[in-house]
Amino acid sequence: MRETIKRLEATRAFRLKQEIPRLTMAERTNLLEGYHPDFRTEGVCQVRIGPNKGERMQKELTDLLEASGRLDPGRVDLTRVDFDVDVLVIGGGGAGVTTALLAHENGSRVLLATKLRLGDSNTIMAEGGIAAATQANDSLNLHFLDTMGGGLFQNKRDLVRALIEDAPLIVEWLKDLGAMFDTHPNGDLVVSFAGGHCRRRVHSCKDLSGLEFMRVLRDEFYNKGIEVLEFSPAIELMLDENGRCAGAVLLNLETNELLLVRAKAVVLATGGIGRLHPNKYPTTNHYGATADGLVLAYRAGAPLLHMDAIQYHPTGAAWPEQMLGQLITEALRGNGAQLVNKDGERFINELETRDVTSSAVIREVRERKKGIKTPTGMEGVWLDVALIDIRGGAGKLDRMFAGIVHRFKEYGIDVHKEPLLVFPTQHYQNGGVEIGPDGQTSIPGLYAAGEVAGGVQGRNRLGGNSLVDIFVFGRRAGKAAAEYAKRTELPTSLNLEHVRKYQQELAEAGIRQGLRSPLLLPDYTRPEIKKHTAACGA
Ligand SMILES: Cc1cc2nc3c(=O)[nH]c(=O)nc-3n(C[C@H](O)[C@H](O)[C@H](O)COP(=O)(O)OP(=O)(O)OC[C@H]3O[C@@H](n4cnc5c(N)ncnc54)[C@H](O)[C@@H]3O)c2cc1C
């Protein structure tokens, strides 16, 4: 590894002046089809039952959609209701807390139920920042076009329009809540590039943006006195006799008790899929990202969109091994860091979209054999981070990337001097539950917001566009759910008939694979330990 660092240092002066043109549309397509994991046929399969029957989806997700539920519908006493509320929000990340705030503001009695603690989520881990066209040289049209292009023009246009138009207001809203954005000495907001954006439009709070946003959201949530149930994941939705969503069954993870929440409206905000490890990739995601919301909505009859399109972030940590798959933010490349192979050469414009950049890294390592090998056999390419201080002046890395500097220092790596070894890591689910501009799904009374929802990002999300997505659609869904609740009575009857029917469909299709879903938490027990535990009868 040391030898390749010497080569990287030797080419720095040349690389600082080197311009690498963006790829043409045909070159991008070739790269994606040749190397992107979405195009590996063994990674996807046809789902055999449910609203998307016959469509291709990620294999690991398909397994969960074709699994049995955790409940036997016949054994749940649906008359013993524990909570009656106007709006039940499921999920305690950025989308869920935003939804709860807006539903509360619009007059609803709200209960938020979440799997872990409030804030344990992908949101709190977000690094680079939030995209919005706030600058004089930018426009809503440019942000719209970039987002559509990044999504391979498969995004739903009305959702993208909502995203882009609301984005500048979201930055103001977060500022009003007290979020401390990076600013220049004159007070103007700092904005950075991210892949696929033609303007600088990513607003950051160092490389700890999600932590800062979650801090102010949680403060606001607690100040409003909104009710929350922690360690209480939803394990099934309930419907009423008219097929409207009428609440959810929660599982208390500490006592194993079931809790029944009857609600006029339900909002799913359960986040992504990373801990299913699509295509066996490591992930940047938190432990609760196990696709639960997709399973619940699908079983209740809501179609999913683009669930064969997964985002692999180009710069996951490949060394040290303890950090495998952790995110190394794109904002580093947005501020001048370069991707370099073992011969000290760049091989792609670093501001190509993530799908394209990841494919280029995979090609460099797997086909061109220009990767750098770690002592334990992992391979990756270098991210030359020291260029940020060289270009921007000493202190820029410390000022803008305190998180990265600190995390690597823990392992004795000084990012001011040494490059970071990177390889793609699973990062985001591009698709999700199909929604309209107010987060409404095909099931009356059921809404979805944030990463669990599909259609906004098309087949590939641009950097910074998820944080804005969760706030835009969290606010819209919260308001719409509260308005729906005002014109709706509490359901008089609750049922799990859809679960029974789904079970029947599974049986008729001859599917019996022994899995139960939602998964709730990933199982990392090594096979030899499982065998040992089974042998001990534990
Ligand atoms: C490391 C990292 C860095 C990122 N950086 C950026 C960035 O800089 N800019 C950007 O735009 N995007 C970024 N993203 C993506 C973005 O942060 C996420 O897509 C977004 O925050 C998702 O928000 P969410 O509220 O939809 O889901 P989450 O924030 O993941 O919240 C989901 C919540 O639902 C809960 N939950 C799950 N299942 C259940 C259940 N069955 N019942 C009840 N609760 C449940 C979870 O515990 C969690 O609290 C990053 C993602 C990661 C992982």
Side-chain angles (χ1 to χ4, degrees), residues 155-470:
N155 331 42
K156 285 175 74 175
R157 296 167 75 97
D158 52 347
L159 300 184
V160 180
R161 187 170 303 122
L163 179 86
I164 298 321
E165 285 181 1
D166 291 4
L169 308 174
I170 293 295
V171 173
E172 289 306 313
W173 179 66
L174 290 167
K175 271 166 51 183
D176 286 347
L177 288 178
M180 292 189 286
F181 283 95
D182 293 329
T183 52
H184 294 290
N186 67 358
D188 288 352
L189 291 170
V190 171
V191 278
S192 299
F193 274 117
H197 290 284
C198 71
R199 294 286 185 275
R200 289 180 182 273
R201 60 169 76 104
V202 179
H203 305 67
S204 52
C205 311
K206 299 193 180 289
D207 55 352
L208 302 165
S209 303
L211 187 62
E212 177 62 1
F213 298 152
M214 214 60 235
R215 177 184 73 80
V216 296
L217 287 172
R218 271 196 299 214
D219 276 357
E220 189 71 0
F221 182 91
Y222 288 128
N223 284 339
K224 300 283 181 202
I226 301 171
E227 266 183 289
V228 57
L229 289 173
E230 297 183 319
F231 298 107
S232 301
I235 55 170
E236 214 66 79
L237 294 174
M238 297 187 291
L239 302 183
D240 73 0
E241 71 276 16
N242 299 314
R244 291 182 314 184
C245 192
V249 182
L250 313 180
L251 174 70
N252 181 324
L253 288 179
E254 282 162 319
T255 62
N256 262 335
E257 278 171 305
L258 296 182
L259 292 170
L260 264 57
V261 184
R262 179 165 52 182
K264 295 176 184 171
V266 176
V267 187
L268 284 173
T270 48
I273 193 178
R275 288 287 160 180
L276 304 188
H277 295 287
N279 277 307
K280 312 231 175 328
Y281 270 66
T283 184
T284 60
N285 286 196
H286 83 124
Y287 284 94
T290 50
D292 300 357
L294 300 179
V295 171
L296 302 190
Y298 195 73
R299 219 176 260 154
L304 311 182
L305 201 61
H306 299 147
M307 280 320 305
D308 56 339
I310 300 294
Q311 178 160 95
Y312 300 85
H313 195 290
T315 56
W319 179 260
E321 224 170 328
Q322 296 92 321
M323 290 178 74
L324 187 67
Q326 284 188 23
L327 185 70
I328 298 178
T329 176
E330 181 167 341
L332 290 160
R333 280 176 287 130
N335 282 280
Q338 293 179 344
L339 292 164
V340 177
N341 68 19
K342 70 172 185 184
D343 294 329
E345 302 156 339
R346 288 171 73 201
F347 49 89
I348 188 81
N349 181 315
E350 286 77 7
L351 293 179
E352 292 284 358
T353 52
R354 289 178 179 171
D355 49 356
V356 169
T357 313
S358 286
S359 304
V361 174
I362 294 169
R363 178 181 63 185
E364 204 63 14
V365 170
R366 303 235 164 109
E367 189 190 270
R368 295 182 175 167
K369 308 286 177 209
K370 294 214 173 192
I372 296 100
K373 244 199 186 113
T374 70
T376 51
M378 182 68 205
E379 274 188 286
V381 296
W382 290 123
L383 183 67
D384 191 0
V385 175
L387 287 175
I388 293 177
D389 271 358
I390 295 173
R391 285 178 201 270
K396 185 164 181 185
L397 264 172
D398 290 328
R399 214 167 44 246
M400 289 195 67
F401 300 100
I404 290 282
V405 172
H406 172 76
R407 271 157 56 208
F408 281 91
K409 197 171 162 200
E410 296 279 286
Y411 294 100
I413 297 173
D414 179 355
V415 303
H416 305 89
K417 297 190 189 131
E418 293 169 79
L420 302 178
L421 196 70
V422 297
F423 193 75
T425 177
Q426 191 286 342
H427 187 54
Y428 186 76
Q429 73 179 39
N430 293 305
V433 182
E434 190 165 356
I435 57 162
D438 287 322
Q440 67 274 34
T441 70
S442 63
I443 301 173
L446 180 65
Y447 297 77
E451 194 168 336
V452 70
V456 185
Q457 315 290 353
R459 299 188 64 84
N460 172 63
R461 168 175 76 79
L462 298 187
N465 265 359
S466 173
L467 285 179
V468 71
D469 175 340
I470 66 175

Side-chain angles (χ1 to χ4, degrees), residues 33 35-44 56 279 281 366:
E33 288 179 1
Y35 304 94
H36 195 278
D38 279 356
F39 290 86
R40 286 177 49 176
T41 47
E42 67 274 26
V44 285
R56 278 158 38 108
N279 277 307
Y281 270 66
R366 303 235 164 109

